[in-house]
Amino acid sequence: MHRRLGDDGTSFQEILTEVRREIAARHLAERQLAISKIAFLLGFLEPSAFHRAFKRWTGRAPLSYRELAQTRGVSGVHKG
């Protein structure tokens, strides 16, 4: 599998990161789960690790993204 993904110019880690980013954005926009619960569901051992990863992915902290999603109806993750 790793070889085939490499042949396609991607890796398992890149796909995992993209899926985590999309799921995190969806949960944050829906506002039904606490940020710590989202972190746990995505496999982060500590909420702080999720916060750092989400900020790296999007340029925003999870709470900031959640607030933006509420005011603008954001459903996808965009850096900036």
Side-chain angles (χ1 to χ4, degrees):
M1 180 173 80
H2 289 284
R3 187 183 67 230
R4 286 186 182 171
L5 289 171
D7 291 345
D8 289 338
T10 192
S11 69
F12 178 79
Q13 188 60 46
E14 289 172 349
I15 292 170
L16 177 62
T17 297
E18 181 63 27
V19 169
R20 280 178 156 177
R21 183 180 335 163
E22 290 175 11
I23 292 171
R26 195 170 311 129
H27 282 306
L28 289 168
E30 290 173 357
R31 301 182 58 88
Q32 295 176 358
L33 297 174
I35 293 172
S36 59
K37 180 69 171 181
I38 295 168
F40 173 77
L41 291 173
L42 293 176
F44 289 91
L45 296 178
E46 297 288 333
S48 60
F50 170 67
H51 281 256
R52 286 190 304 274
F54 193 83
K55 190 163 186 176
R56 185 175 59 252
W57 299 334
T58 66
R60 296 186 180 279
L63 184 57
S64 172
Y65 183 90
R66 177 171 266 176
E67 291 168 352
L68 179 67
Q70 173 143 8
T71 60
R72 295 188 182 173
V74 174
S75 61
V77 177
H78 301 286
K79 194 165 189 162

